[in-house]
Amino acid sequence: MPAELICFEERCRARFPITDAIYNCPHCGGLLEVWYPPPAATPAELKRIWRERRTSNAPLDQSGVWRYREMVPFLESYDRVVTLREGHTPLLPAPPAATYGGLDALTFKHQGFNPTGSFKDNGMTCGVAQALRLGMARVACVSTGNTSASMAAYASAAGLAGIVFIPHGNISYGKLAQALEYGAKTLQVEANFDQILALVRTLAERLGIYLLNSINPFRIEGQKTIIVEMLDQRDWNPPDWIVLPGGNLGNTAAFGKALRELHGLGFIARMPRLAVIQAEGAAPFYDLMLAPARGFHAVSHPETLATAIKIGDPVSWPKALREVACSGGVVEKVSEQEIADAKAVIGRCGIGCEPASAATLAGIRKLTASGTISASADVVAVLTGNLLKDPDYIYRYHTGKLEAPDGAAIHSRFANQPVVLPNDADRIAAFLQG
Ligand code: F0G
């Protein structure tokens, strides 16, 4: 029995061939998921095989996505897979961040160590593999910056034409630079992420371009391996909590699916709880969890300096809702000040990350203060993007010039001001001694 696409909606559950280039259920419009028959090997056998592949020099085995290919078996052949050796990102203990977050211990799973500097690479290698299998010549995405950087790289590596749509003036230069350098046709549109996504979906259909946003279910499959790899690195001991930032909510959908599948197959005996953290100015999922009876309402003008998660109408909210509920999880929101301070603390651990990623630590601090997460809990926070993605934010924070989108000053509690000195050994010595 081959893998299939299945409608996520309980009332529909229609099934479609894995080779249909569709992003929503043609019957009811629901989101699609990839469905697989159970693997032939037992969890114990797969755990052993995956461990052995770590010592292999074969490109597929060196990828932290394709090493776990039995968890994402949607291809018939791996001949045309393009890997930039994504994944195998480290688990980093961070004692100062733990203290700041009100925890005894905290570990970061740092997806910023990926080839293009974010977790998007885990999903993109799968999305591009599917594009190649379908014979697509062009791939496109709208992005707050990381998806476009990743898609640009994988499209070029695969010999596909990449077209990226970005909200003009609203992504960091680091990310824009990546799309340009990797050779994607880069369209800066004067609209926000949500508006451009609607536009790109129409264009993709009209022009026969394959869409690689996280509405694409194969992206979600690749991002599942972040969880598989994290559990492998922890010798299959699940943490109590997995904390992640929420924007378009693709990662929340992916992590939840991975946990359900691993639990269902017997890889882990219990489910960790998901804690999804949103920025206050772009928190429609938080609002939904607070008052589910009101239903989902998009935020029409999302605002946050954490531009990666500046999204008001997240596509994957129905999946994310199910996954948070299934895991007994929570959703929290954090302010610009809280994100900025948490980010500086993560930097001081020698680890660093981009603003959206720091929402995790800011959220942990709130969730321990409210007693939702206990100090002794075993917590893994996923840092989604590399520190160098947004150097402008960092410079402004450390020089006391960072302002919230509404113009309010952000207090640089952990500022590390650069110092200008003359070319004079005595003056420099005096400065260093004083
Ligand atoms: N963190 C970073 C660094 C991101 O780039 C994103 C999303 C998120 C968190 C949120 O993840 O959407 O799965 O909830 N960036 C997308 C992009 C939207 O276009 O690069 P999500």
Side-chain angles (χ1 to χ4, degrees):
M1 204 170 13
E4 285 178 307
L5 290 169
I6 183 167
C7 176
F8 157 84
E9 291 295 333
E10 277 308 327
R11 62 191 148 79
C12 178
R13 301 304 273 172
R15 288 170 176 251
F16 307 93
I18 198 75
T19 46
D20 279 7
I22 49 176
Y23 317 100
N24 286 93
C25 173
H27 296 173
C28 76
L31 296 167
L32 295 170
E33 283 190 321
V34 183
W35 175 90
Y36 306 106
T42 65
E45 284 162 350
L46 286 175
K47 287 177 185 178
R48 184 183 46 75
I49 293 168
W50 294 340
R51 202 44 82 84
E52 279 170 11
R53 283 182 189 155
R54 286 198 201 188
T55 58
S56 155
N57 281 331
L60 274 192
D61 295 342
Q62 286 198 348
S63 161
V65 172
W66 300 106
R67 179 182 305 146
Y68 303 105
R69 48 196 174 267
E70 290 79 4
M71 289 302 293
V72 290
F74 61 87
L75 294 172
E76 280 124 24
S77 136
Y78 296 98
D79 298 351
R80 293 183 65 201
V81 164
V82 172
T83 170
L84 297 173
R85 314 299 185 269
E86 53 290 322
H88 56 85
T89 59
L91 268 181
L92 303 169
T99 307
Y100 181 80
L103 292 170
D104 299 339
L106 172 62
T107 311
F108 289 121
K109 171 82 172 148
H110 205 327
Q111 292 303 111
F113 282 64
N114 261 298
T116 78
S118 86
F119 72 94
K120 306 289 180 179
D121 296 342
N122 285 68
M124 206 52 74
T125 184
C126 287
V128 165
Q130 181 69 4
L132 289 169
R133 169 209 219 161
L134 297 177
M136 296 286 176
R138 292 187 292 178
V139 289
C141 69
V142 53
S143 177
T144 57
N146 280 323
T147 300
S148 46
S150 182
M151 195 200 76
Y154 282 84
S156 285
L160 299 173
I163 308 164
V164 308
F165 293 76
I166 48 183
H168 186 40
N170 271 300
I171 77 166
S172 71
Y173 270 111
K175 298 173 188 177
L176 174 59
Q178 286 182 289
L180 299 176
E181 186 83 356
Y182 292 134
K185 196 180 279 297
T186 304
L187 283 67
Q188 306 193 74
V189 183
E190 282 164 337
N192 70 27
F193 176 91
D194 307 300
Q195 294 161 330
I196 305 173
L197 182 54
L199 183 85
V200 173
R201 289 183 67 169
T202 314
L203 283 172
E205 194 157 335
R206 194 192 295 175
L207 303 176
I209 301 170
Y210 195 54
L211 191 60
L212 283 175
N213 275 99
S214 59
I215 192 162
N216 183 312
F218 299 95
R219 281 267 319 273
I220 302 293
E221 289 308 299
Q223 287 169 215
K224 281 185 344 194
T225 61
I226 299 168
I227 295 297
V228 184
E229 181 180 74
M230 183 263 284
L231 289 165
D232 185 5
Q233 288 166 318
R234 291 174 50 104
D235 298 323
W236 301 96
N237 290 316
D240 298 320
W241 289 92
I242 298 171
V243 187
L244 73 159
N248 215 16
L249 299 173
N251 236 7
T252 309
F255 288 12
K257 186 171 191 267
L259 291 171
R260 279 188 296 110
E261 290 177 351
L262 291 168
H263 188 245
L265 294 169
F267 281 87
I268 49 173
R270 65 180 177 83
M271 289 275 278
R273 301 171 72 181
L274 293 175
V276 181
I277 318 296
Q278 296 208 288
E280 262 178 13
F285 190 46
Y286 171 86
D287 294 341
L288 174 68
M289 296 300 284
L290 204 63
R294 279 187 59 236
F296 177 80
H297 292 278
V299 171
S300 49
H301 298 290
E303 282 297 355
T304 170
L305 297 178
T307 48
I309 51 174
K310 189 171 163 180
I311 294 175
D313 193 5
V315 163
S316 292
W317 74 261
K319 286 184 178 178
L321 185 63
R322 175 185 67 186
E323 303 305 355
V324 170
C326 261
S327 81
V330 297
V331 183
E332 184 55 276
K333 65 176 179 181
V334 290
S335 69
E336 297 299 310
Q337 181 71 54
E338 288 167 328
I339 293 173
D341 288 334
K343 182 171 141 51
V345 170
I346 296 168
R348 290 279 176 94
C349 297
I351 292 174
C353 65
E354 69 163 282
S357 312
T360 53
L361 180 59
I364 289 169
R365 188 170 157 94
K366 277 183 97 165
L367 290 168
T368 54
S370 67
T372 308
I373 299 183
S374 71
S376 59
D378 182 351
V379 181
V380 174
V382 179
L383 298 180
T384 44
N386 191 283
L387 169 132
L388 287 171
K389 289 279 189 175
D390 196 349
D392 185 54
Y393 180 111
I394 302 175
Y395 185 75
R396 281 187 287 141
Y397 179 85
H398 288 289
T399 53
K401 291 183 190 133
L402 194 63
E403 277 182 4
D406 63 2
I410 288 180
H411 304 290
S412 305
R413 281 175 58 205
F414 302 97
N416 182 21
Q417 284 266 5
V419 183
V420 181
L421 286 168
N423 182 10
D424 179 329
D426 292 341
R427 302 256 310 261
I428 294 175
F431 171 79
L432 290 174
Q433 274 154 5

